[in-house]
Amino acid sequence: MTRQFSGIKPSGEMHIGNYVGAVRRWVDSQDDGIFCVVDLHAMTVPFDPDEFNAETRRLAALLLAAGLDPDRCTLFVQSHVPVVTELTWILNCVASDGELRRMTQFKDKSQGDESVSAGLYDYPVLMAADIVLYELHVRDFSANDFSVSAPNRGKYLAFTETGSNGTCWGARAIGSPSNVT
């Protein structure tokens, strides 16, 4: 059986599109699933720490209110799990500059900017850490979860699967990137 892992960034108001596109599906299929507020992913752009922390807590509360049940699934805030950042560091030590520069999201968001967050550049490594840490075989990259465009779906999985030296880090895609929803 495939383990479900989905996350949502605390970067803006939760709206009906989030609910219909993601959260409702999570509630309907939550048994043994892993769901989190991916606050580390949201730190790639400037933010006010107090507002950010409040939004993170509010979003976690909204997920509970929407019906995610901690007795049926795992629900957490990403930054509250230190092993996420520890594994990200380890993966950073084997990731290459060339692999990260090929990521479309970094290229798109950094166009014309003099100063771009290193976190945005390193975003794929953090995603790879999520995949490896939770032993995922299929990754949910819907627009409401991680705001990853369709062309990038396979790239994150391929990046995670091969690593910079060709060594498999433990995650693999099942089927083609079009099957990863």
Side-chain angles (χ1 to χ4, degrees):
M1 185 173 146
T2 302
R3 177 183 280 177
Q4 177 179 347
F5 174 83
S6 292
I8 187 166
K9 291 192 288 187
S11 54
E13 295 293 320
M14 189 157 170
H15 50 76
I16 192 70
N18 298 119
Y19 179 76
V20 171
V23 177
R24 185 179 66 183
R25 288 184 302 126
W26 298 354
V27 171
D28 291 344
S29 62
Q30 68 181 297
D31 291 320
D32 298 319
I34 302 170
F35 306 95
C36 72
V37 177
V38 288
D39 56 338
L40 296 174
H41 287 284
M43 292 179 177
T44 61
V45 295
F47 62 91
D48 175 272
D50 292 333
E51 288 178 26
F52 186 80
N53 289 333
E55 181 62 23
T56 298
R57 285 188 305 275
R58 190 170 84 62
L59 187 53
L62 284 170
L63 292 174
L64 289 168
L68 287 180
D69 181 352
D71 290 332
R72 295 176 56 197
C73 67
T74 301
L75 175 63
F76 62 96
V77 174
Q78 187 181 39
S79 65
H80 295 192
V81 181
V83 72
V84 174
T85 54
E86 294 165 359
L87 182 57
T88 299
W89 174 253
I90 292 168
L91 296 179
N92 272 326
C93 292
V94 296
S96 75
D97 179 63
E99 288 170 323
L100 296 175
R101 286 190 186 276
R102 284 193 297 273
M103 294 296 157
T104 306
Q105 187 164 354
F106 174 74
K107 287 192 274 188
D108 291 348
K109 290 188 176 183
S110 64
Q111 292 247 323
D113 288 347
E114 280 184 33
S115 178
V116 179
S117 162
L120 180 61
Y121 182 68
D122 199 46
Y123 197 92
V125 180
L126 179 58
M127 292 183 104
D130 288 330
I131 294 168
V132 172
L133 183 62
Y134 303 109
E135 300 176 4
L136 304 174
H137 296 281
V138 176
R139 182 75 164 127
D140 184 352
F141 283 130
S142 71
N144 290 321
D145 298 334
F146 283 107
S147 301
V148 175
S149 62
N152 281 337
R153 292 177 186 172
K155 289 181 184 178
Y156 288 109
L157 290 166
F159 173 78
T160 304
E161 183 175 339
T162 60
S164 61
N165 61 1
T167 304
C168 180
W169 292 344
R172 65 183 184 278
I174 296 176
S176 66
S178 64
N179 291 337
V180 180
T181 58

